[in-house]
Amino acid sequence: MKSVATRKLTRLFVVGLMTGLALVSYGGRVQADLAIINGTDQYAKPKLEKDYQKANQKHKNDIAVQILGINDLHGGLDTTGDVKIGDKSYSKAGTVSRLAAYLDQAQSHFKSVTESDNTLRIEAGDAVGAAPANSTLLAHESTMHALKAMKFSIGTLGNHEFDHGLPEFNRILTGKKPDNSADKLLKNYPHRTSGVDMIVANVVNKKNQKIPYGYQPYIIKTVKQNNQTAKVGIIGIETATLPSLTLYQNYKDYDVLDEAETIAKYDKILREKGVNAIIVVAHTGVETKTDTTSGQSVAILNKLNDLSPDNQVGLYVAGHSHQYANAKVGRTQVVQAVYTGKAYDNSWCYIDGKSGRFTDVTSHVYPVLSAKDDPKTKSDKTVANIVKDADKRVNKKVSQVIGYAATNETITGRLHNNDTLENQAGELVADSQLAAAQHAQLNPDFAMTNTGGVRADLAVNKRKAITWGAATAVQPFGNILQVVDMTGAQIRQALNQQYNENQHYYLQIAGLQYTYHKSDETNPSDRVIEMRDTHGTSIEDTKNYRVVINDFLHGGGDNFTAFKNTKIVGAAGTDTDALIKYIEEKTRTAQKVTAPQLNRKIAVE
């Protein structure tokens, strides 16, 4: 552990999918923020970790507890990709079958060193949603099967658990049958309970302020070792930014309460019950990068410690921002393991048997290495068979060729942005949405889409073919495309809003090009200099235009308030269908599908 950073700042509350920075003071007070000690992760396996190689004699009489955590799995049953953990990079990391094997290794190693059987596996939300076809086409029930096989017993809600409404998520969580309108593919899939106890303290029904579906605000686990017994309390937290991350109809029945205030409330309740070792599992973002740890989770802990300086939260397992994080924030260890099963976090906690309090918490994040990088570790057969079965069931639909590209090169997405945060797949999606509205004869001028909804590269195989599965991996949500009336001034406002939060939220666009001030010292609301259509005609602030957006943006999603409550002219189908039809239509031309030139946003000094 190293790099201590202590700051005195106005208390900030940080919101956003990618640890965005919406600045809100807490009661106008100026407080000293908690000291932050950033962690260092250099090793690929726990057995190589100096902290974990032998029992710490200082804790020989304590109760050892291991927390194995993941976040933002997003139904990534066989998703792989590059992952950076600390200063180390690993290629082609991931898949749940290998994740299962590494979790078992980590648990076995913990037991051999500490002689403790106290291991809990928890997930910090977004286990489902925005997923590949082998999860999506089976309503994510295949992911529930995988979580159960990996022995995850505790989870909390993320924003994607609301994608099809909380009732549907609860159905797949508990293994209930779908209704009669469900696809035959889904009806024929075995429906089983996940075995995951869902805990969420800050989501309540508006009508009665009760937590829905009998979910509990916390869970208490009894742990034993050295002829001693202690209790561990685990509090579940949803991000309070949920209303900006899902459709209104999906969250309208619920209030999402302040995270820090809720943690303080249940920390007090647990301590009154004699539980003095407390863990928070929260779908709130955080990132450790270049000796700095920041984000929503840090702000929450700062506020929590203002509200309740004597709180006993020793570990905070975070999610949502898809980043690596490992740091001590005040007395609390904070950790996040990137996303889609490419990594996991491994926390070793020690509890004093007399006081019931944590005496030490140490966390590390480890990659899920590829078979090439670690051939000695074999994939878990049970989990691998779940994935194999899911693949077989959806293969006919997924492998259906819908079109061809001009080359066999992958059309890359948001992990390959250029300097202006444009990417090929994102702008292809925007082009498809503009075309869909044109076919619907709604006379659109422009199209804009949130980059967070563009979930993958567009895969092109060696024969230049693009499959249904490849297209739906890029656009998995099925959001409704709406054509809205906007003035040029509103369009300018929307484009400027990309720069409000250090571009944690940004748009992919079609039908227009704009220039903006490169310097981030310019007021975010005044970054855009000039806007033009594809013919080079200036977009005038006072003139009306028609813009294609999805219903998520129309509700002000990703904090793009410029789109909110704009007049809807008409609907143009779903974003998923728009991309599929666009690829099909392009294939019928000599042009085929080509990657757009990334020249729609132009930065100037």
Side-chain angles (χ1 to χ4, degrees):
M1 295 285 190
K2 57 184 179 181
S3 181
V4 179
T6 307
R7 306 170 183 87
K8 288 190 176 182
L9 300 169
T10 302
R11 177 69 65 247
L12 304 180
F13 178 61
V14 185
V15 297
L17 177 61
M18 301 297 286
T19 62
L21 301 172
L23 309 184
V24 182
S25 66
Y26 289 135
R29 295 177 296 164
V30 177
Q31 300 286 339
D33 283 351
L34 297 168
I36 298 177
I37 305 174
N38 297 305
T40 302
D41 286 309
Q42 304 178 40
Y43 303 103
K45 291 189 174 184
K47 67 180 182 180
L48 303 174
E49 196 74 55
K50 293 179 181 179
D51 293 349
Y52 292 170
Q53 286 181 346
K54 59 183 180 180
N56 189 327
Q57 291 303 303
K58 184 173 66 174
H59 301 297
K60 65 180 181 180
N61 295 321
D62 290 341
I63 300 170
V65 179
Q66 181 186 42
I67 304 297
L68 294 173
I70 62 169
N71 56 275
D72 301 273
L73 181 59
H74 287 294
L77 300 179
D78 50 11
T79 299
T80 61
D82 296 344
V83 64
K84 187 173 183 180
I85 297 171
D87 295 327
K88 301 285 185 178
S89 294
Y90 306 90
S91 62
K92 298 182 180 179
T95 78
V96 290
S97 59
R98 293 192 66 78
L99 171 63
Y102 282 110
L103 293 173
D104 286 346
Q105 283 184 8
Q107 182 169 341
S108 177
H109 177 70
F110 170 75
K111 182 175 181 178
S112 69
V113 173
T114 66
E115 300 181 355
S116 171
D117 290 314
N118 300 313
T119 294
L120 296 173
R121 300 187 184 188
I122 64 178
E123 64 89 13
D126 277 8
V128 299
N134 57 2
S135 183
T136 298
L137 288 178
L138 300 171
H140 305 297
E141 293 193 50
S142 50
T143 295
M144 294 294 109
H145 288 202
L147 287 173
K148 185 171 186 176
M150 289 190 287
K151 307 180 189 72
F152 281 92
S153 59
I154 300 170
T156 196
L157 295 176
N159 50 289
H160 282 286
E161 275 73 13
F162 288 80
D163 280 352
H164 298 283
L166 201 52
E168 170 62 7
F169 172 71
N170 189 66
R171 182 194 71 76
I172 67 170
L173 180 76
T174 55
K176 300 294 192 300
K177 292 182 179 180
D179 62 34
N180 290 331
S181 65
D183 184 91
K184 183 178 180 181
L185 194 64
L186 176 57
K187 286 182 178 179
N188 290 339
Y189 194 72
H191 313 294
R192 301 172 187 150
T193 181
S194 66
V196 175
D197 289 324
M198 195 57 48
I199 54 171
V200 58
N202 64 327
V203 176
V204 295
N205 284 303
K206 286 184 176 179
K207 290 183 178 180
N208 58 16
Q209 294 298 293
K210 291 184 178 180
I211 299 170
Y213 295 103
Y215 302 154
Q216 298 301 306
Y218 59 80
I219 194 167
I220 299 173
K221 294 290 185 179
T222 300
V223 293
K224 300 177 181 180
Q225 193 180 11
N226 297 323
N227 296 316
Q228 301 178 98
T229 300
K231 293 180 179 180
V232 179
I234 306 169
I235 302 169
I237 293 292
E238 168 69 281
T239 175
T241 64
L242 178 67
S244 70
L245 299 169
T246 192
L247 299 178
Y248 172 74
Q249 66 188 38
N250 294 337
Y251 73 84
K252 64 181 177 64
D253 295 329
Y254 308 104
D255 287 327
V256 186
L257 310 178
D258 181 271
E259 303 100 331
E261 292 175 4
T262 303
I263 296 169
K265 172 184 174 180
Y266 287 105
D267 170 82
K268 183 175 184 293
I269 289 172
L270 284 166
R271 285 187 285 125
E272 289 173 348
K273 291 178 176 286
V275 181
N276 293 315
I278 297 172
I279 296 168
V280 171
V281 51
H283 196 68
T284 60
V286 65
E287 179 181 18
T288 300
K289 187 176 182 180
T290 60
D291 290 334
T292 301
T293 296
S294 61
Q296 186 181 7
S297 301
V298 174
I300 290 167
L301 285 171
N302 278 323
K303 183 177 181 182
L304 170 64
N305 281 271
D306 283 351
L307 296 170
S308 178
D310 61 344
N311 75 82
Q312 295 300 314
V313 177
L315 175 64
Y316 192 110
V317 180
H320 187 44
S321 59
H322 296 188
Q323 304 298 317
Y324 159 76
N326 185 6
K328 186 82 76 175
V329 180
R331 301 186 308 275
T332 304
Q333 185 69 41
V334 179
V335 68
Q336 183 181 199
V338 200
Y339 72 123
T340 59
K342 297 172 188 173
Y344 66 96
D345 44 77
N346 181 1
S347 301
W348 288 21
C349 314
Y350 294 92
I351 301 173
D352 178 80
K354 293 181 179 179
S355 68
R357 294 186 177 187
F358 288 122
T359 57
D360 186 42
V361 178
T362 302
S363 296
H364 292 287
V365 179
Y366 299 105
V368 175
L369 295 171
S370 67
K372 180 180 178 181
D373 286 347
D374 182 17
K376 291 184 178 180
T377 296
K378 304 301 180 182
S379 297
D380 181 279
K381 290 183 179 180
T382 300
V383 178
N385 285 336
I386 291 170
V387 180
K388 184 178 179 180
D389 174 68
D391 286 341
K392 183 178 179 180
R393 290 172 185 270
V394 305
N395 181 65
K396 185 176 180 180
K397 180 75 172 177
V398 169
S399 59
Q400 177 186 346
V401 174
I402 60 171
Y404 290 87
T407 72
N408 61 6
E409 296 179 359
T410 296
I411 297 174
T412 55
R414 59 180 176 170
L415 297 182
H416 304 276
N417 287 321
N418 68 355
D419 290 341
T420 60
L421 297 188
E422 299 173 81
N423 64 73
Q424 296 171 348
E427 291 194 345
L428 187 73
V429 165
D431 289 341
S432 73
Q433 294 177 1
L434 187 61
Q438 289 167 344
H439 284 304
Q441 299 183 343
L442 294 170
N443 301 318
D445 296 293
F446 317 118
M448 301 184 189
T449 194
N450 54 305
T451 308
V454 182
R455 302 303 294 192
D457 298 343
L458 180 61
V460 181
N461 70 22
K462 293 180 180 178
R463 296 184 296 110
K464 304 179 184 178
I466 301 170
T467 63
W468 182 94
T472 56
V474 176
Q475 286 278 268
F477 294 111
N479 287 330
I480 302 300
L481 296 178
Q482 298 172 331
V483 177
V484 298
D485 278 334
M486 296 182 74
T487 64
Q490 287 175 310
I491 294 169
R492 182 185 298 273
Q493 181 188 8
L495 296 175
N496 274 321
Q497 284 178 341
Q498 297 175 104
Y499 308 100
N500 284 348
E501 302 175 18
N502 295 327
Q503 296 186 82
H504 287 300
Y505 297 127
Y506 53 99
L507 301 166
Q508 303 298 308
I509 59 177
L512 75 156
Q513 184 183 71
Y514 73 92
T515 58
Y516 70 98
H517 293 290
K518 184 176 182 180
S519 172
D520 58 10
E521 295 178 2
T522 306
N523 188 317
S525 62
D526 204 26
R527 292 283 289 272
V528 174
I529 301 169
E530 185 179 29
M531 306 175 294
R532 293 182 179 274
D533 64 20
T534 53
H535 302 293
T537 303
S538 292
I539 299 170
E540 301 174 18
D541 283 355
T542 57
K543 188 175 177 180
N544 289 321
Y545 301 89
R546 289 187 172 185
V547 184
V548 190
I549 58 175
N550 59 43
D551 50 357
F552 171 72
L553 283 177
H554 189 252
D558 283 353
N559 295 327
F560 283 104
T561 58
F563 297 120
K564 196 170 185 178
N565 299 323
T566 49
K567 182 182 177 181
I568 298 174
V569 177
T574 70
D575 52 8
T576 306
D577 288 344
L579 181 59
I580 290 170
K581 290 177 182 177
Y582 187 73
I583 292 169
E584 290 173 337
E585 290 173 1
K586 282 289 183 183
T587 299
R588 289 193 284 267
T589 72
Q591 181 185 7
K592 307 300 182 187
V593 176
T594 57
Q597 294 184 16
L598 305 183
N599 60 359
R600 301 175 188 183
K601 303 178 183 180
I602 301 172
V604 297
E605 298 293 342

